[in-house]
Amino acid sequence: MARALNQALRDAMSADASVHVLGEDVGALGGVFRVTDGLAAEFGEDRCTDTPLAEAGILGTAVGMAMYGLRPVVEMQFDAFAYPAFEQVVSHVAKMRNRTRGALPLPLVVRMPYGGGIGGVEHHSDSSEAYYMATPGLHVVTPATVADAYGLLRAAIASDDPVVFLEPKRLYWSKDAWDPEEPDAVPPIGRAVVRRPGRDATLLTYGPSLPVCMAAAEEAVRADGWDLEVVDLRSLVPFDDETVCASVRRTGRAVVVHESSGFGGPGAEIAARVTERCFHHLAAPVLRVTGFDVPYPPPLLEHHHLPGAERVLDAVARLQWEQG
């Protein structure tokens, strides 16, 4: 996935001279996760720029660049490092196009490694997607596969609306058959994808929880005979109600799975949307499997905090099968 993201940035910068990359350590080092490796050497420091350790300044600079016709791609080194820049996101990035009645779009991408599972400490493992989902004016996107990492990042950079691009850091080294010379076509921003068809219940997930749900679906067949459908949301804003609801109406049951906390988390909105649109098709309440409602724990405890296949199957077992 890291290579696919790197290729997406390289191809976008080659195709359009207005695309600039900036952030902490993105130049000489190539980024903490090496996603920007080689870009400064190839395109020069003016287009792949190391910045001071000042997130509000980085994003504020990018706002100005976008206002003057450039397409900046900002890297926030870790998810929780972005909080000092949150005021810029809410007050300027999300509102500029609306404030100017459409005259001044902000074609700006904020790349953000997010989520846990790598043994990182607090401020290095947050799942902060709910903050951005609750901010009108932003697109919020998160890939879970190598092909989506490339395709969605290219689409984000091409968008005239600002995109918060959440990269699941524990999937950076995930591998798949993928040809950078002939990348697969990827559905556009705003479209979910059925990764595994099924008939008994739907697992709704995204980003780092997709492999967890795929593993749970395979185990469900072996252990209990449940045939679970897995839907990869890919885009949290805009949200693909059509694909999600079509799946839930077919299966009649749904579980939402994500690392972010449960209370006020993304799953709450997703469950509400599914319930409103699919109520008469549901054989059981929509359930959630999430991170716990606590600050991210120390590395030795994170495996308790993160949703695993066992917790997903426990939720599936509570879907009132006796009434089916």
Side-chain angles (χ1 to χ4, degrees), residues 267-285:
E269 173 63 23
I270 295 167
R273 299 179 78 86
V274 170
T275 301
E276 290 170 354
R277 290 161 174 79
C278 306
F279 182 79
H280 293 291
H281 297 266
L282 291 172

Side-chain angles (χ1 to χ4, degrees), residues 53-132:
L53 305 181
E55 286 79 12
I58 298 168
L59 197 50
T61 300
V63 169
M65 293 168 69
M67 290 173 69
Y68 277 86
L70 300 178
R71 289 185 175 271
V73 181
V74 172
E75 178 179 304
M76 293 292 170
Q77 199 168 75
F78 284 92
D79 31 59
F81 289 12
Y83 298 149
F86 194 67
E87 191 275 334
Q88 292 282 349
V89 174
V90 174
S91 296
H92 302 297
V93 175
K95 292 183 171 61
M96 189 62 68
R97 191 166 198 172
N98 183 265
R99 181 182 293 143
T100 61
R101 298 184 180 181
L104 195 59
L106 279 189
L108 187 159
V109 179
V110 183
R111 290 184 42 247
M112 199 176 305
Y114 85 116
I118 65 165
V121 295
E122 189 183 16
H123 300 306
H124 293 73
S125 302
D126 275 13
S127 294
S128 49
E129 56 268 34
Y131 300 133
Y132 303 105

Side-chain angles (χ1 to χ4, degrees), residues 273-315:
R273 299 179 78 86
V274 170
T275 301
E276 290 170 354
R277 290 161 174 79
C278 306
F279 182 79
H280 293 291
H281 297 266
L282 291 172
V286 179
L287 301 182
R288 291 172 288 163
V289 179
T290 72
F292 298 121
D293 296 330
V294 297
Y296 199 84
L300 293 178
L301 298 176
E302 68 176 354
H303 66 285
H304 295 294
H305 177 76
L306 298 172
E310 185 176 348
R311 285 176 59 193
V312 173
L313 293 176
D314 286 344

Side-chain angles (χ1 to χ4, degrees), residues 8 13 32 39 54-55 70 76 79 108 110 116 124 142 144 146 168-169 185 190 194 221 223 253 279 291:
M13 295 175 79
V32 170
L39 298 182
E55 286 79 12
L70 300 178
M76 293 292 170
D79 31 59
L108 187 159
V110 183
H124 293 73
T142 177
V146 173
K169 62 176 76 78
V194 177
V221 173
R253 293 175 169 86
F279 182 79

